[in-house]
Amino acid sequence: MIAERARFKHARKIERAVGYRIPDLAFHGATLDAITSRLNIDRLDHVLHDQILAFLAAFLRCTCREAPHCGCPEKKFAAEIIELRENGLDHRQIAAFLLEEYGITVYPADILSFLEESVHVLEAVRDIAALQNQTGLEAAAVSHIDLIER
Ligand SMILES: [Zn+2]
Protein backbone atom coordinates (compact mmCIF):
# COMPACT_ATOMS: atom_id res chain seq x y z
CA MET A 1 0.00 0.00 0.00
CA ILE A 2 1.51 3.29 -1.14
CA ALA A 3 -0.49 5.17 1.53
CA GLU A 4 1.63 3.42 4.20
CA ARG A 5 4.65 5.26 2.75
CA ALA A 6 3.09 8.72 3.08
CA ARG A 7 4.30 10.95 5.92
CA PHE A 8 3.35 14.45 6.96
CA LYS A 9 6.46 16.59 6.66
CA HIS A 10 5.20 18.80 9.50
CA ALA A 11 3.75 16.09 11.73
CA ARG A 12 5.16 17.82 14.84
CA LYS A 13 3.28 21.05 13.99
CA ILE A 14 0.08 19.08 13.43
CA GLU A 15 0.73 17.34 16.75
CA ARG A 16 0.92 20.66 18.59
CA ALA A 17 -2.44 21.71 17.10
CA VAL A 18 -3.95 18.34 18.09
CA GLY A 19 -2.61 18.35 21.63
CA TYR A 20 -1.11 14.87 21.82
CA ARG A 21 1.45 12.72 20.04
CA ILE A 22 0.55 11.35 16.61
CA PRO A 23 2.53 9.17 14.20
CA ASP A 24 4.04 11.01 11.23
CA LEU A 25 2.42 8.44 8.91
CA ALA A 26 -0.35 10.42 7.17
CA PHE A 27 -2.76 7.50 6.82
CA HIS A 28 -2.14 5.86 10.20
CA GLY A 29 -5.47 5.34 11.98
CA ALA A 30 -4.44 7.56 14.91
CA THR A 31 -3.39 10.37 12.54
CA LEU A 32 -6.65 10.20 10.59
CA ASP A 33 -8.62 10.20 13.87
CA ALA A 34 -6.71 13.22 15.14
CA ILE A 35 -7.10 15.20 11.92
CA THR A 36 -10.79 14.47 11.52
CA SER A 37 -11.81 15.05 15.13
CA ARG A 38 -9.21 16.64 17.41
CA LEU A 39 -7.37 19.06 15.17
CA ASN A 40 -7.85 22.78 15.79
CA ILE A 41 -7.09 23.85 12.24
CA ASP A 42 -6.82 27.54 13.21
CA ARG A 43 -3.68 26.72 15.19
CA LEU A 44 -1.84 25.76 12.00
CA ASP A 45 0.23 28.21 9.98
CA HIS A 46 -1.26 29.42 6.71
CA VAL A 47 0.49 26.92 4.39
CA LEU A 48 -0.16 23.90 6.61
CA HIS A 49 -3.76 25.01 7.14
CA ASP A 50 -4.37 24.94 3.37
CA GLN A 51 -2.53 21.62 2.99
CA ILE A 52 -4.66 19.93 5.66
CA LEU A 53 -7.86 21.31 4.12
CA ALA A 54 -6.74 19.95 0.72
CA PHE A 55 -5.92 16.58 2.36
CA LEU A 56 -9.38 16.41 3.97
CA ALA A 57 -11.11 17.37 0.72
CA ALA A 58 -9.16 14.92 -1.41
CA PHE A 59 -9.09 11.82 0.79
CA LEU A 60 -11.58 12.08 3.66
CA ARG A 61 -14.89 12.93 2.04
CA CYS A 62 -16.57 9.50 2.15
CA THR A 63 -19.71 8.79 4.17
CA CYS A 64 -18.88 5.25 5.32
CA ARG A 65 -19.99 4.48 8.85
CA GLU A 66 -16.46 3.38 9.84
CA ALA A 67 -14.78 6.42 8.26
CA PRO A 68 -11.90 7.28 8.44
CA HIS A 69 -11.09 3.59 9.04
CA CYS A 70 -13.01 2.29 6.00
CA GLY A 71 -10.05 2.05 3.61
CA CYS A 72 -11.35 4.82 1.33
CA PRO A 73 -8.63 7.38 2.24
CA GLU A 74 -5.85 4.92 1.32
CA LYS A 75 -7.60 3.91 -1.93
CA LYS A 76 -8.20 7.54 -2.91
CA PHE A 77 -4.54 8.33 -2.28
CA ALA A 78 -3.43 5.44 -4.54
CA ALA A 79 -5.94 6.56 -7.20
CA GLU A 80 -4.63 10.13 -7.01
CA ILE A 81 -1.07 8.97 -7.72
CA ILE A 82 -2.23 6.93 -10.74
CA GLU A 83 -4.23 9.91 -11.99
CA LEU A 84 -1.24 12.25 -11.63
CA ARG A 85 0.88 9.78 -13.61
CA GLU A 86 -1.83 9.47 -16.29
CA ASN A 87 -1.85 13.27 -16.51
CA GLY A 88 1.82 13.13 -17.46
CA LEU A 89 3.75 13.69 -14.21
CA ASP A 90 6.71 11.38 -13.57
CA HIS A 91 7.41 9.85 -10.13
CA ARG A 92 9.61 12.79 -9.05
CA GLN A 93 7.03 15.36 -10.12
CA ILE A 94 4.32 13.39 -8.31
CA ALA A 95 6.39 13.44 -5.10
CA ALA A 96 6.89 17.21 -5.49
CA PHE A 97 3.15 17.73 -6.09
CA LEU A 98 2.14 15.70 -3.01
CA LEU A 99 4.55 17.71 -0.86
CA GLU A 100 3.33 21.06 -2.11
CA GLU A 101 -0.40 20.26 -2.22
CA TYR A 102 -0.78 18.15 0.94
CA GLY A 103 2.48 18.56 2.88
CA ILE A 104 3.04 14.82 2.36
CA THR A 105 6.41 13.23 1.66
CA VAL A 106 6.69 9.97 -0.30
CA TYR A 107 9.99 8.79 -1.76
CA PRO A 108 9.97 9.00 -5.59
CA ALA A 109 11.38 5.44 -5.65
CA ASP A 110 8.34 4.21 -3.69
CA ILE A 111 6.04 5.95 -6.17
CA LEU A 112 7.90 4.34 -9.04
CA SER A 113 7.56 0.82 -7.59
CA PHE A 114 3.89 1.46 -6.82
CA LEU A 115 3.29 2.47 -10.47
CA GLU A 116 5.14 -0.65 -11.68
CA GLU A 117 3.06 -2.86 -9.38
CA SER A 118 -0.10 -1.17 -10.64
CA VAL A 119 0.85 -1.98 -14.23
CA HIS A 120 1.34 -5.64 -13.27
CA VAL A 121 -2.12 -5.72 -11.65
CA LEU A 122 -3.63 -4.07 -14.74
CA GLU A 123 -1.88 -6.62 -16.99
CA ALA A 124 -3.47 -9.42 -14.96
CA VAL A 125 -6.88 -7.73 -15.25
CA ARG A 126 -6.34 -7.31 -19.01
CA ASP A 127 -5.44 -11.01 -19.46
CA ILE A 128 -8.37 -12.29 -17.39
CA ALA A 129 -10.78 -9.92 -19.18
CA ALA A 130 -9.48 -11.20 -22.54
CA LEU A 131 -10.01 -14.83 -21.48
CA GLN A 132 -13.57 -14.03 -20.43
CA ASN A 133 -14.34 -11.93 -23.53
CA GLN A 134 -14.98 -8.82 -21.42
CA THR A 135 -13.79 -6.51 -24.16
CA GLY A 136 -14.80 -3.27 -22.39
CA LEU A 137 -12.79 -4.16 -19.31
CA GLU A 138 -9.88 -5.38 -21.41
CA ALA A 139 -9.79 -2.11 -23.37
CA ALA A 140 -9.97 -0.05 -20.16
CA ALA A 141 -7.05 -1.97 -18.65
CA VAL A 142 -4.99 -1.57 -21.84
CA SER A 143 -5.63 2.17 -21.94
CA HIS A 144 -4.61 2.62 -18.28
CA ILE A 145 -1.43 0.58 -18.89
CA ASP A 146 -0.56 2.78 -21.90
CA LEU A 147 -1.14 5.98 -19.94
CA ILE A 148 0.99 4.85 -16.98
CA GLU A 149 3.84 3.47 -19.10
CA ARG A 150 4.18 6.25 -21.69
ZN1 LIG B 1 -15.15 5.21 3.26
Side-chain angles (χ1 to χ4, degrees):
M1 284 287 283
I2 189 67
E4 290 169 6
R5 307 277 175 173
R7 295 171 190 276
F8 278 121
K9 184 174 185 193
H10 299 295
R12 299 291 78 82
K13 286 189 191 174
I14 297 171
E15 197 168 84
R16 282 197 288 279
V18 167
Y20 56 80
R21 279 199 67 86
I22 55 164
D24 57 358
L25 291 171
F27 291 90
H28 190 286
T31 310
L32 294 179
D33 272 338
I35 287 179
T36 53
S37 62
R38 299 297 303 274
L39 179 63
N40 181 352
I41 202 152
D42 297 328
R43 290 189 59 192
L44 301 173
D45 64 53
H46 179 70
V47 172
L48 193 52
H49 177 271
D50 287 356
Q51 287 171 336
I52 294 295
L53 286 185
F55 180 82
L56 288 168
F59 309 119
L60 289 157
R61 278 272 171 84
C62 75
T63 53
C64 302
R65 184 201 289 250
E66 322 84 79
H69 306 288
C70 48
C72 297
E74 292 88 340
K75 281 183 206 147
K76 285 181 183 170
F77 184 70
E80 163 112 353
I81 290 178
I82 301 238
E83 197 179 315
L84 290 167
R85 175 67 200 117
E86 294 191 353
N87 285 331
L89 274 63
D90 67 23
H91 55 289
R92 285 186 196 84
Q93 293 168 324
I94 292 171
F97 176 87
L98 295 173
L99 180 58
E100 185 178 333
E101 183 75 9
Y102 307 114
I104 283 177
T105 57
V106 187
Y107 292 119
D110 286 337
I111 292 174
L112 191 59
S113 19
F114 165 71
L115 290 170
E116 285 166 357
E117 283 159 25
S118 301
V119 166
H120 291 147
V121 171
L122 284 162
E123 285 169 345
V125 170
R126 175 198 63 197
D127 294 347
I128 292 165
L131 285 172
Q132 298 180 342
N133 290 316
Q134 299 190 43
T135 48
L137 182 59
E138 184 187 357
V142 167
S143 111
H144 281 293
I145 291 167
D146 289 347
L147 283 169
I148 295 173
E149 286 191 328
R150 83 198 146 140

